[in-house]
Amino acid sequence: SSRGAGTAEECELSLRQLRAKKSDQEVAAHGALHEAPKAVPDEPQAPVELKPAVAANATATKSKGKCTEDDEAIMTKFGGGSGSNSFPGRVAACGKHAAGWWSFNKGSMAFCLSRDTGISEDCASCFSSAGAFGYSNCKIQCLFGSWCSDSCLSCSSVHDEETNTCAGVEMPKVTSC
């Protein structure tokens, strides 16, 4: 039937158009990934003249872990304790949002913590690993009480050394509630 042939030709044309669009998008994305880097001066500039992106990288190299000195200052500003506005309280709130019935979303927790506090996502990933540990190992201890209960903190503290090593900076201390 001629109607079926017309439809097949239209489908074939549409398919070619979609493939061409996809190829154009892939070429554009590839080009963006492989643009030439911006010129860098031969001699380093004085620290006061550094652009913010360079200054952030310079700060990051002073840390022993993923958190920068700027991240440490932000965490210190929120402080320790167990209040909802303390740094540990914000970590717990983001961890609660990242916990689902069947899984824990580390990326969601890191994004939440970075967005809510201002620390870098790289630094926040240390705390999302701690959240995933708590989700996998401390549900019973933390589910029937508060995140800052003695039983929950005792269970989750098993991961503290790994979190401290990952962060590489001094962090506000949590207190039981």
Side-chain angles (χ1 to χ4, degrees):
S1 80
S2 63
R3 183 175 180 194
T7 304
E9 287 175 27
E10 288 173 8
C11 285
E12 193 173 319
L13 178 61
S14 293
L15 183 58
R16 279 184 273 177
Q17 289 170 334
L18 288 172
R19 286 181 180 155
K21 276 186 183 179
K22 185 175 179 182
S23 288
D24 289 347
Q25 290 170 346
E26 289 173 347
V27 168
H30 180 75
L33 289 174
H34 297 286
E35 287 179 358
K38 295 186 182 351
V40 177
D42 290 338
E43 296 181 20
Q45 301 293 319
V48 293
E49 295 177 27
L50 291 176
K51 294 180 181 173
V54 175
N57 290 340
T59 303
T61 60
K62 293 180 182 178
S63 171
K64 294 175 263 174
K66 290 184 175 183
C67 299
T68 66
E69 290 175 352
D70 290 341
D71 292 327
E72 181 179 22
I74 291 168
M75 290 186 279
T76 300
K77 178 186 78 169
F78 283 103
S82 57
S84 61
N85 288 324
S86 68
F87 185 74
R90 293 190 181 238
V91 170
C94 287
K96 184 177 182 180
H97 291 293
W101 282 104
W102 311 113
S103 64
F104 186 86
N105 188 329
K106 288 168 58 172
S108 174
M109 182 174 175
F111 176 78
C112 173
L113 192 56
S114 178
R115 179 195 66 217
D116 287 1
T117 64
I119 65 172
S120 66
E121 279 197 56
D122 205 26
C123 178
S125 71
C126 296
F127 301 98
S128 65
S129 291
F133 174 86
Y135 180 86
S136 297
N137 299 286
C138 305
K139 280 187 195 121
I140 303 278
Q141 295 86 340
C142 301
L143 189 62
F144 298 108
S146 174
W147 68 270
C148 56
S149 68
D150 287 331
S151 62
C152 183
L153 293 177
S154 177
C155 178
S156 61
S157 69
V158 171
H159 197 270
D160 285 355
E161 186 176 336
E162 189 173 325
T163 303
N164 292 337
T165 300
C166 178
V169 295
E170 192 67 31
M171 296 176 294
K173 304 292 183 229
V174 64
T175 56
S176 62
C177 50

